[in-house]
Amino acid sequence: MLTALIIGAVGFADFLLSHIIVFHYRPPKKRFRMLMVLLVSTAFFYALVFWVLVRFGVAARLDALVPQQLMALLFGAFVYFFIWYFYAHLVVVFDRSVTPRMMIEVYTAPGKKLTFEGMKERYSMRDKFVRELDDMVYMGRIERKGDIYMNTPKGLTHAKVMTFLREYLHIGGHQ
Amino acid sequence: MAYFLSALITSLAGIAAHGILIASGLVRIDPDKSILKLKRHWQILLIVWAALLPLFIYLSGVFNSCGMIARIGQSAWFFGMAGITFLGMLFFVYLTFYYVVDRSITTRLMMEIERSPEKRLTFEEITKVYDLDTKYRNEIQGIVDGGFMRREGEYFVNTPKGAAVAGITSWYKKVFKLGPGG
């Protein structure tokens, strides 16, 4: 199993590198689709690499370096805590994500349809912004003095890192 | 294979336990305060996951003693699937970070404050540089482009895909007492 996990990790590193290069030099219009194309092609390539290593006995020699049960336990534990991480994020998406809330408003509206103005009446983006700012004040990324908002050092670092990444990867401009 | 299976089953038990704790009212979380509410949910989930570790260990022992599962767990096929699963999990973890960079409202808010000449803004100044209506229209366009809604004249209507997402999200918010959110 060690070989498979190393291949998985190397595959992910390769995906990340490809993603950075493609997004920086040839920014795609459909970004999520490109991420999936990169992921699937990486997975196929490294699955092939793995099978070659198995076929020529390299995998067996590498796997013998670490007790099989230990690798299986570590992988199982990783899966267990990954599912926690996945589910915890699902809770965040269900709760905070703008798009499902908009779909719910349409779903529960009379006639199950809404105009743009109708949607704004039921779900205020202004209130959303206020809540987000309040949350950032609570998290120590923004401080509020009267009606003025300023970044804290933590918020400033966040803003600078994100600005760099958005510009380098050419993402985030559609908001 | 044994540890993988017990991780899956124990996690399902964890999700069920989370649901029971919240839906039954045994654990009460104020649905109005956004980030505090989520912090509480994450804490509860961590406690539940940690508390179920004995189940993970017990089930691992049970599955390890099953000959067929042990044999599958030694196969190159299973190892290959484990490697791909590992890659997929790493991708998902990265995706949570990617979406913060790409789509997060709070990220944009902090960036706009940083970009401003005096590095401070009132709420009204924020909404001038980060226009509420533009944000709203962009979100709706994203939903339409994703096939979750369609436009019929001046109205927006959920597609079957959008209705399914709305139904599931609505149910989850109700059972887990999340409030309207968004």
Side-chain angles (χ1 to χ4, degrees):
Chain A
M1 184 180 278
L2 176 65
T3 310
L5 297 182
I6 289 173
I7 294 293
V10 168
F12 174 71
D14 190 352
F15 155 80
L16 212 53
L17 189 63
S18 309
H19 159 41
I20 289 168
I21 290 170
V22 167
F23 275 56
H24 179 67
Y25 290 106
R26 298 287 295 267
K29 283 200 178 114
K30 292 185 189 276
R31 295 193 282 248
F32 184 73
R33 186 174 292 180
M34 178 53 74
L35 283 176
M36 294 312 296
V37 164
L38 290 172
L39 176 72
V40 170
S41 50
T42 305
F44 266 117
F45 176 73
Y46 281 94
L48 212 60
V49 168
F50 174 71
W51 283 114
V52 167
L53 292 177
V54 166
R55 174 71 181 81
F56 289 100
V58 176
R61 283 200 291 276
L62 200 52
D63 287 351
L65 294 175
V66 178
Q68 206 68 267
Q69 279 293 320
L70 176 62
M71 283 314 307
L73 170 63
L74 289 174
F75 179 63
F78 182 83
V79 169
Y80 183 55
F81 280 101
F82 168 78
I83 296 175
W84 166 83
Y85 183 81
F86 175 87
Y87 180 65
H89 272 84
L90 203 60
V91 175
V92 174
V93 168
F94 278 132
D95 180 55
R96 289 176 76 95
S97 187
V98 169
T99 45
R101 172 74 194 267
M102 285 177 170
M103 286 183 250
I104 287 173
E105 293 305 333
V106 170
Y107 186 69
T108 54
K112 293 194 183 328
K113 58 183 179 181
L114 284 171
T115 60
F116 178 70
E117 291 303 322
M119 233 186 282
K120 276 170 57 177
E121 267 174 48
R122 290 166 72 99
Y123 175 36
S124 163
M125 196 55 65
R126 187 177 192 88
D127 290 347
K128 170 73 171 169
F129 273 35
V130 168
R131 277 186 279 121
E132 295 283 351
L133 285 164
D134 287 346
D135 288 345
M136 287 304 104
V137 169
Y138 174 79
M139 302 266 289
R141 292 184 186 211
I142 289 178
E143 65 176 314
R144 184 177 175 168
K145 287 188 178 161
D147 58 353
I148 305 267
Y149 292 94
M150 293 171 285
N151 285 324
T152 60
K154 206 157 95 168
L156 177 60
T157 305
H158 183 104
K160 286 188 177 208
V161 169
M162 294 299 154
T163 300
F164 168 75
L165 288 171
R166 282 189 175 192
E167 286 170 4
Y168 195 82
L169 297 176
H170 304 287
I171 60 179
H174 58 289
Q175 289 183 303
Chain B
M1 179 79 170
Y3 297 105
F4 180 74
L5 275 178
S6 65
L8 287 181
I9 293 169
T10 311
S11 299
L12 283 173
I15 292 168
H18 176 235
I20 290 165
L21 286 171
I22 302 298
S24 66
L26 279 169
V27 174
R28 298 164 83 85
I29 299 177
D30 183 354
D32 293 328
K33 295 187 176 109
S34 193
I35 204 77
L36 289 168
K37 162 184 68 185
L38 288 174
K39 194 175 160 182
R40 278 282 274 153
H41 275 284
W42 277 50
Q43 285 168 343
I44 288 161
L45 283 170
L46 201 54
I47 290 167
V48 165
W49 248 249
L52 287 175
L53 274 172
L55 177 64
F56 170 73
I57 294 165
Y58 169 73
L59 286 176
S60 300
V62 167
F63 289 133
N64 265 322
S65 60
C66 170
M68 188 176 80
I69 291 176
R71 272 196 301 281
I72 294 170
Q74 297 297 317
S75 66
W77 175 87
F78 175 72
F79 290 169
M81 290 307 297
I84 289 178
T85 303
F86 188 53
L87 169 62
M89 290 190 288
L90 291 174
F91 170 75
F92 177 81
V93 172
Y94 172 70
L95 207 59
T96 57
F97 172 73
Y98 173 86
Y99 271 106
V100 169
V101 180
D102 187 37
R103 298 188 68 89
S104 166
I105 291 175
T106 49
T107 292
R108 174 82 187 266
L109 290 170
M110 284 182 269
M111 285 169 61
E112 292 301 344
I113 291 171
E114 173 54 18
R115 270 190 210 135
S116 65
E118 293 185 19
K119 312 238 184 275
R120 55 181 63 199
L121 292 169
T122 62
F123 183 79
E124 295 309 321
E125 286 167 341
I126 287 171
T127 59
K128 280 201 178 86
V129 292
Y130 188 8
D131 183 64
L132 296 169
D133 265 15
T134 305
K135 168 67 177 165
Y136 220 108
R137 286 186 201 281
N138 285 343
E139 291 288 349
I140 292 174
Q141 192 55 52
I143 297 171
V144 169
D145 289 346
F148 295 94
M149 270 194 212
R150 65 174 181 274
R151 191 161 186 164
E152 290 179 356
E154 57 169 350
Y155 286 96
F156 292 94
V157 176
N158 281 324
T159 59
K161 197 160 89 167
V165 168
I168 291 167
T169 310
S170 190
W171 171 84
Y172 191 91
K173 284 181 192 251
K174 188 174 159 190
V175 169
F176 286 82
K177 301 182 179 152
L178 292 175

